[in-house]
Amino acid sequence: MTLHNRSRYGRYAGGPDPLAPPVDLAEALDAIAEDVMAGYSPRHALQEFLRRGGRDREGLDNLARRVQQRRSELLSRHRLDGTLNEVKKLLDTAVLEERKQLARDAMMDNTERAFREMQLQNLPPSTAAAVNELASYDWQSSSAREAYDRIKDLLGREVLDQRFAGMKQALENATDEDREAVSEMLRDLNELLGKHRRGEDTDEDFRQFMAKHGDYFPENPQSVEELVDALAKRAAAAQRLLQSMSPEQREELMRLSAQAFGSAELMAQLNQLDDSLRALRPGEDWNGSERFGGQEGLGLGDGTGVLQDIAELDELSEQLSQHYNGSSFDDLDLDALARQLGQNAAVTARTLAEIERAMQDGGYLRRGADGDLRLSPQAMRRLGKSLLRDTAKQLSGRQGGRDTRVAGAAGEQTGSSRQWEFGDAEPWDVTRTMTNAIRRTMADGGDPGRGLHLAIGDIEVTETEARTQAAVVLLADVSFSMSAEGRWVPMKRTALALHHLVSTRFRGDRLQLVTFGRYAQSMDIGELTALPPLREQGTNLHHGLLLAGRFFRQHPSMQPVLLVVTDGEPTAHLLADGESWFCWPPDPETIRVTVAELDRLARSGTQATFFRLGDDPGLERFVQRLARRIDGRVVAPETGDLGAAVVGAYLRTHFRDGLYDDDWTAGI
């Protein structure tokens, strides 16, 4: 006999889709880095991305907006007189049927008939008062008596439904035994909660209660505390429902409640329950109210459910805001979000949480010595690679330009290799290429001894290094005007792209990043990326040139290359005592010492390129004079082309044999 294994497949309901693609962090990293370069802290930048969301994904703000829309929709759709209207309809039916019976009953004494008709005719206008007045009426019509008894049954089910969701439907057409079982449950529940308030209950007390009455609690609480939580939320919502009614509606319902199941004991038990829950959970909102303005009437139970939904929506709104101290995605109730906005909303929130986790666990954000988050070196490399790729596209689109993937073409081998990319002209690294093919074949279950088939991903090329090594200084203006005129982030993107190019393709070169505002200082790429916009006045090019000269002297065997990015004339210089002297318009002494320092760099053979940002005529005249003194060049790129201009100028120092035409940089 052969046994066949059979499997049944259905919709996955155990959490995130196991077949969903992994979270792509590239978009998040780009957005976070952009905000960091604009001056935000990495923590704030991460929070902002999670609030905004991505191109194809909602953020927290949109989820919060949908939560508020859902709340407004509930309030604008409903009104709270559903139970009163149902009772009034049943009362009208009972009175009408009784009058019909009185008219048909020929055997009834005329005096008695007139008395009964007068009773029915003179019922109070208040529904509750009329129901109470008819409590002792001797109904002649069986259908009238049935309609009136249904009022008591409806009220009983509604007041129970206020405290126990689903009770209205569960007790429809209930027998006396069913109602007695409910009363017994209430007595046992009040006894359990009373013992719990006094600290006298045990786990066994709870187990026995649930074993006996667990069917009344679909929430399936696992402890007395969970039971109290569920009951208190519902009871508080029921109280807010009453507070949301008009005083007239509230009075009517309170008077009608006495007729629930025709049992005063029931109301006493429910009042005792409410008292216990208030004492055990005083932090619940027992006194709030809402303003309903719709057309769809709600009964007591359904209305309580809506108030519970509104309370849950308010909690979700607070969780999504993430404004409170110690807030985190772990606080977000995904089950509640799915109930209120649908499963897709919960999936979105879970994905955002995964992005937050992955940004830290994946090594893109790390904590510094001060405990705050920082962009990690791994994140800087990935960001630099992305920015360099964008710059390469700009360069390859220039007339006469070549792709910047070449790592020192016509140079000497560095001993390193990298994966082949389209357009590479370097020789193959045969050993690494064959090793990659063998590993891939074995991983796919193949036998390398039976032959190999090369795939594109197997190929690695030998990296080469340009013969001319350079000591490069990027002088970046960080004066107030750079941030005020929208040039702050492009300047940082330029520095990142250049840094990545030098550190990955021209490892023999040395790069120094120097910022100059009121003072100049050398920075590593992480410090520059995180540098907030500065509001101090001063463009101290003199100090920046001093630091550049010091760096060049530390690398005497390398070709000195100076790249200056600025949007203003020098307005500050360094005094002998180390203090910065600021003056606007530029002081002649500032111009003199700045030019003198540039002349010293010229005598050491420095190749200089000045990148003029903006249309200041004074700056244009000044940098042109500087360029002529040092036999340098001036480039006036648009802000968005700054990265391509700087990287292109750097590449010219290595490829002066016609690989890049002069027309290429002139067109920037």
Side-chain angles (χ1 to χ4, degrees):
M1 178 177 180
T2 303
L3 295 176
H4 298 282
N5 292 327
R6 295 183 178 182
S7 300
R8 298 181 64 187
Y9 299 91
R11 183 182 295 275
Y12 182 74
D17 183 358
L19 301 181
V23 175
D24 182 10
L25 298 180
E27 182 186 10
L29 179 60
D30 288 346
I32 291 168
E34 194 77 7
D35 283 348
V36 168
M37 288 189 287
Y40 293 102
S41 70
R43 180 189 300 279
H44 183 77
L46 173 60
Q47 291 173 342
E48 284 300 304
F49 175 78
L50 297 175
R51 302 200 67 78
R52 295 192 305 263
R55 288 185 297 271
D56 302 316
R57 181 179 296 110
E58 289 183 291
L60 293 178
D61 282 347
N62 199 48
L63 291 176
R65 177 184 58 79
R66 291 174 56 193
V67 163
Q68 289 302 315
Q69 286 179 340
R70 167 78 172 151
R71 191 185 196 281
S72 298
E73 177 189 343
L74 290 174
L75 292 174
S76 62
R77 182 197 307 169
H78 300 296
R79 64 173 188 261
L80 302 180
D81 57 356
T83 297
L84 288 174
N85 286 338
E86 283 192 74
V87 171
K88 188 175 187 310
K89 288 179 181 178
L90 290 172
L91 178 63
D92 290 344
T93 299
V95 171
L96 179 60
E97 292 299 319
E98 181 68 5
R99 284 175 172 167
K100 290 179 180 178
Q101 180 63 34
L102 293 176
R104 289 193 301 265
D105 194 347
M107 302 297 295
M108 181 176 290
D109 181 74
N110 289 337
T111 302
E112 182 180 355
R113 180 184 294 110
F115 177 74
R116 288 177 177 275
E117 288 179 346
M118 184 178 63
Q119 275 186 289
L120 299 177
Q121 182 67 33
N122 294 322
L123 286 173
S126 163
T127 301
V131 170
N132 288 332
E133 186 168 311
L134 293 172
S136 58
Y137 182 80
D138 181 18
W139 298 92
Q140 300 300 300
S141 166
S142 59
S143 57
R145 183 185 302 108
E146 180 183 351
Y148 183 80
D149 288 341
R150 284 170 57 195
I151 292 175
K152 298 179 180 180
D153 180 71
L154 170 66
L155 291 169
R157 290 186 291 120
E158 286 280 19
V159 295
L160 286 172
D161 205 38
Q162 279 188 289
R163 277 76 171 185
F164 308 94
M167 195 70 83
K168 180 179 179 180
Q169 290 75 23
L171 290 179
E172 192 170 9
N173 301 319
T175 64
D176 290 340
E177 288 77 11
D178 294 330
R179 288 188 281 271
E180 176 54 36
V182 171
S183 294
E184 184 180 3
M185 180 273 291
L186 286 172
R187 287 192 294 271
D188 292 348
L189 177 59
N190 281 322
E191 181 181 352
L192 175 64
L193 296 186
K195 293 174 68 175
H196 187 63
R197 288 177 63 181
R198 298 188 299 272
E200 299 173 357
D201 62 312
T202 64
D203 292 341
E204 184 59 29
D205 291 333
F206 174 74
R207 283 193 292 269
Q208 290 180 1
F209 175 82
M210 290 301 294
K212 185 176 181 181
H213 303 296
D215 291 343
Y216 293 103
F217 305 95
E219 303 91 349
N220 192 28
Q222 300 300 305
S223 66
V224 175
E225 292 296 332
E226 290 186 13
L227 175 65
V228 172
D229 283 341
L231 290 173
K233 288 181 184 299
R234 184 80 178 178
Q239 187 61 37
R240 292 195 301 276
L241 175 71
L242 293 176
Q243 295 294 118
S244 302
M245 294 178 175
S246 68
E248 295 77 16
Q249 289 175 327
R250 188 160 54 249
E251 182 180 359
E252 287 278 277
L253 282 171
M254 296 304 292
R255 294 174 65 184
L256 281 171
S257 297
Q259 296 292 329
F261 288 143
S263 170
E265 180 190 0
L266 173 66
M267 293 310 301
Q269 290 171 341
L270 291 176
N271 290 334
Q272 182 181 348
L273 175 62
D274 287 346
D275 290 342
S276 294
L277 294 174
R278 275 179 177 270
L280 291 168
R281 293 294 183 271
E284 291 289 341
D285 183 5
W286 296 93
N287 300 311
S289 63
E290 300 291 343
R291 185 180 296 276
F292 288 81
Q295 299 299 316
E296 185 178 323
L298 289 174
L300 296 181
D302 291 339
T304 299
V306 168
L307 265 296
Q308 270 193 291
D309 283 341
I310 289 175
E312 189 168 72
L313 289 166
D314 288 341
E315 290 179 4
L316 285 172
S317 183
E318 177 72 9
Q319 294 163 10
L320 289 168
S321 75
Q322 296 283 291
H323 285 160
Y324 50 93
N325 291 333
S327 61
S328 74
F329 269 92
D330 293 337
D331 303 334
L332 194 54
D333 189 338
L334 296 180
D335 291 335
L337 196 62
R339 280 194 299 271
Q340 298 299 336
L341 300 184
Q343 190 61 41
N344 287 340
V347 171
T348 294
R350 188 181 293 113
T351 302
L352 291 173
E354 289 174 7
I355 290 175
E356 182 187 43
R357 234 178 348 261
M359 286 298 295
Q360 299 186 52
D361 296 346
Y364 293 119
L365 296 176
R366 67 179 185 182
R367 297 196 178 278
D370 57 359
D372 204 359
L373 293 177
R374 297 277 191 274
L375 286 176
S376 69
Q378 179 184 355
M380 301 296 291
R381 287 193 298 271
R382 180 164 180 169
L383 180 60
K385 182 178 181 180
S386 174
L387 293 174
L388 184 58
R389 186 184 304 116
D390 293 341
T391 301
K393 290 179 182 178
Q394 289 180 290
L395 291 177
S396 61
R398 304 290 183 188
Q399 185 175 1
R402 297 291 184 86
D403 199 317
T404 57
R405 280 193 297 262
V406 290
E412 298 175 353
Q413 294 186 2
T414 65
S416 300
S417 65
R418 58 180 173 79
Q419 189 172 15
W420 177 86
E421 299 181 43
F422 179 77
D424 282 334
E426 292 87 352
W428 286 16
D429 187 320
V430 178
T431 301
R432 292 178 184 268
T433 298
M434 297 302 294
T435 300
N436 293 339
I438 292 171
R439 287 174 175 169
R440 179 182 51 77
T441 301
M442 295 180 66
D444 293 342
D447 183 2
R450 304 180 71 127
L452 289 175
H453 295 279
L454 288 181
I456 294 295
D458 299 330
I459 302 172
E460 292 197 25
V461 295
T462 301
E463 281 199 338
T464 60
E465 192 171 79
R467 293 190 181 96
T468 301
Q469 292 183 324
V472 185
V473 174
L474 176 63
L475 280 179
D477 188 345
V478 294
S479 60
F480 174 68
S481 58
M482 287 288 287
S483 59
E485 298 296 331
R487 298 160 186 154
W488 194 258
V489 173
M491 175 270 292
K492 291 185 175 183
R493 293 170 66 91
T494 298
L496 268 168
L498 181 62
H499 177 271
H500 187 74
L501 177 62
V502 174
S503 61
T504 59
R505 302 298 177 89
F506 294 91
R507 298 185 182 93
D509 287 358
R510 294 294 177 264
L511 174 65
Q512 181 72 60
L513 303 174
V514 177
T515 61
F516 62 98
R518 178 66 70 92
Y519 291 90
Q521 59 177 320
S522 300
M523 290 188 173
D524 63 36
I525 190 61
E527 291 174 319
L528 178 57
T529 302
L531 183 68
L534 303 177
R535 296 192 173 273
E536 63 181 16
Q537 292 180 315
T539 305
N540 198 337
L541 179 58
H542 171 243
H543 193 185
L545 293 173
L546 286 170
L547 295 181
R550 180 188 303 171
F551 180 73
F552 292 148
R553 289 191 294 274
Q554 292 170 353
H555 302 86
S557 63
M558 294 184 176
Q559 170 63 52
V561 176
L562 180 67
L563 307 171
V564 181
V565 177
T566 184
D567 70 347
E569 297 178 76
T571 56
H573 68 276
L574 207 62
L575 300 175
D577 60 2
E579 292 297 317
S580 177
W581 167 265
F582 168 77
C583 181
W584 173 258
D587 187 282
E589 179 63 14
T590 297
I591 301 299
R592 187 191 68 78
V593 297
T594 300
V595 171
E597 188 58 36
L598 186 67
D599 288 342
R600 274 190 284 273
L601 295 179
R603 289 192 291 271
S604 66
T606 300
Q607 298 176 11
T609 306
F610 297 89
F611 301 90
R612 175 176 59 82
L613 301 178
D615 300 318
D616 179 13
L619 174 63
E620 182 178 3
R621 290 191 298 269
F622 178 75
V623 296
Q624 287 291 353
R625 289 198 296 267
L626 290 184
R628 283 195 295 269
R629 293 183 71 92
I630 200 172
D631 193 22
R633 303 175 69 254
V634 175
V635 181
E638 295 295 329
T639 302
D641 288 333
L642 179 61
V646 171
V647 169
Y650 166 72
L651 290 173
R652 285 177 60 86
T653 65
H654 288 287
F655 306 116
R656 303 184 65 86
D657 55 0
L659 184 59
Y660 287 95
D661 296 337
D662 288 340
D663 292 339
W664 165 69
T665 48
I668 294 179

